[in-house]
């Protein structure tokens, strides 16, 4: 079955790097995603990685995928107070249409 | 503004009632998805429509139904409401049936009292 797990909370200082981790159980995942949710808003797609990739970099964001351990991480360099939000990882599976299974979300707090 | 429009933003209703949530997808998107976000269940996929036809079904209760109209907007109907149905209901859209990464609307917050 599908299960996506994330830690609940992360606190960092402004300017530091943040690393948000996620584990998933379904080895047939095709794409893995990171979404950001700010208070009162919907989910904003930050980045995604195809399951045959190990790493993807997009400006301040770096996604690492360890398919053997089913571990996904999102690194945010030079974290700013505006990065404070809830971050969700999600997986899509090739035989499940385009349904996304989300983790419970990690609340990132950035202290000035 | 993501381009996906959901109305109303807030809805308060009593148990046993029926409500309709509306979603207009981003221009050009043919797929619409509905998700429920609650504190205890997190984000749960409910249902997907593609160009008017049901494409995939998730954890959607029998009391809930949805449809997508010829103009591609979608409605989620929730009936015989219970306190536990209180949640944020998100609509998302994408171009194709299996596009990666959808665009989410800002949600409808439903409170059942």
């Amino acid at each position: 079955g599908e299960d996506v797990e994330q830690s609940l909370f992360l606190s960092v200082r402004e300017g530091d790097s943040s690393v948000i981790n996620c584990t998933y159980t379904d080895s047939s995942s095709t794409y893995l995603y990171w979404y950001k949710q700010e208070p009162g808003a919907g989910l904003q797609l930050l980045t995604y990685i195809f399951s045959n990739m190990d790493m993807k970099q997009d400006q301040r964001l770096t996604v690492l995928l360890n398919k053997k351990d089913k571990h996904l991480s999102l690194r945010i360099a030079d974290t700013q107070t505006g990065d404070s939000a809830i971050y969700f990882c999600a997986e899509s599976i090739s035989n499940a249409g385009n349904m996304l299974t989300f983790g419970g979300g990690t609340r990132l707090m950035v202290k000035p | 503004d993501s381009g996906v429009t959901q109305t109303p933003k807030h809805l308060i209703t009593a148990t046993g009632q029926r409500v309709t949530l509306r979603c207009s997808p981003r221009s050009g998107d043919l797929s619409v998805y509905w998700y429920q976000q609650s504190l205890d269940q997190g984000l749960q996929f409910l249902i997907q429509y593609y160009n008017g036809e049901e494409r995939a079904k998730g954890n959607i209760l029998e009391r809930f139904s949805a449809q997508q109209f010829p103009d591609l907007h979608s409605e989620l109907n929730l009936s015989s409401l219970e306190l536990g149905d209180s949640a944020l209901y998100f609509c998302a859209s994408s171009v194709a049936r299996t596009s990666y990464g959808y665009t989410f609307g800002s949600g409808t917050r439903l409170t059942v009292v």
Side-chain angles (χ1 to χ4, degrees):
Chain A
E2 309 141 4
D3 201 9
V4 181
E5 302 272 346
Q6 298 179 240
S7 53
L8 286 176
F9 188 75
L10 176 66
S11 178
V12 300
R13 292 224 170 266
E14 192 172 20
D16 288 350
S17 291
S18 309
V19 179
I20 303 171
N21 294 301
C22 171
T23 58
Y24 60 97
T25 56
D26 200 311
S27 57
S28 55
S29 296
T30 49
Y31 285 96
L32 294 131
Y33 307 83
W34 285 103
Y35 281 85
K36 175 183 180 184
Q37 185 179 30
E38 296 180 270
L43 282 81
Q44 173 196 354
L45 177 64
L46 289 177
T47 187
Y48 63 90
I49 188 167
F50 189 50
S51 57
N52 68 354
M53 297 169 63
D54 298 324
M55 185 182 94
K56 181 178 180 182
Q57 186 149 5
D58 184 1
Q59 299 182 334
R60 292 192 297 123
L61 305 179
T62 303
V63 178
L64 294 178
L65 175 60
N66 181 328
K67 201 168 179 182
K68 174 175 164 289
D69 294 339
K70 299 191 183 71
H71 182 267
L72 181 74
S73 68
L74 173 70
R75 179 177 179 269
I76 306 173
D78 186 26
T79 314
Q80 303 297 307
T81 54
D83 294 323
S84 294
I86 301 176
Y87 290 80
F88 292 90
C89 69
E91 61 175 351
S92 65
I93 298 160
S94 57
N95 61 352
N98 202 21
M99 182 185 88
L100 296 188
T101 300
F102 284 87
T106 299
R107 182 178 295 274
L108 174 65
M109 179 181 289
V110 182
K111 298 178 184 175
Chain B
D1 181 9
S2 68
V4 178
T5 304
Q6 289 188 248
T7 56
K9 289 198 182 310
H10 303 276
L11 199 49
I12 301 174
T13 190
T15 54
Q17 295 298 304
R18 172 190 166 96
V19 297
T20 298
L21 312 185
R22 184 188 166 100
C23 169
S24 293
R26 204 175 48 164
S27 178
D29 286 358
L30 300 178
S31 267
V32 169
Y33 312 81
W34 286 97
Y35 279 79
Q36 180 195 58
Q37 185 179 34
S38 61
L39 283 174
D40 54 344
Q41 296 287 325
L43 271 157
Q44 298 281 318
F45 170 71
L46 296 178
I47 198 162
Q48 177 196 358
Y49 279 83
Y50 173 76
N51 205 20
E53 294 191 3
E54 185 183 300
R55 166 89 176 132
K57 217 168 189 176
N59 300 320
I60 187 165
L61 300 171
E62 284 195 13
R63 300 184 285 109
F64 296 180
S65 65
Q67 58 186 127
Q68 186 179 28
F69 294 86
D71 67 353
L72 301 176
H73 92 271
S74 177
E75 292 181 357
L76 178 67
N77 300 296
L78 315 176
S79 61
S80 302
L81 284 167
E82 302 174 0
L83 294 177
D85 298 326
S86 296
L88 259 172
Y89 290 85
F90 285 109
C91 169
S93 70
S94 67
V95 170
R97 286 177 296 179
T98 56
S99 299
Y100 44 81
Y102 337 131
T103 301
F104 278 84
S106 55
T108 293
R109 182 172 292 282
L110 173 66
T111 303
V112 182
V113 296

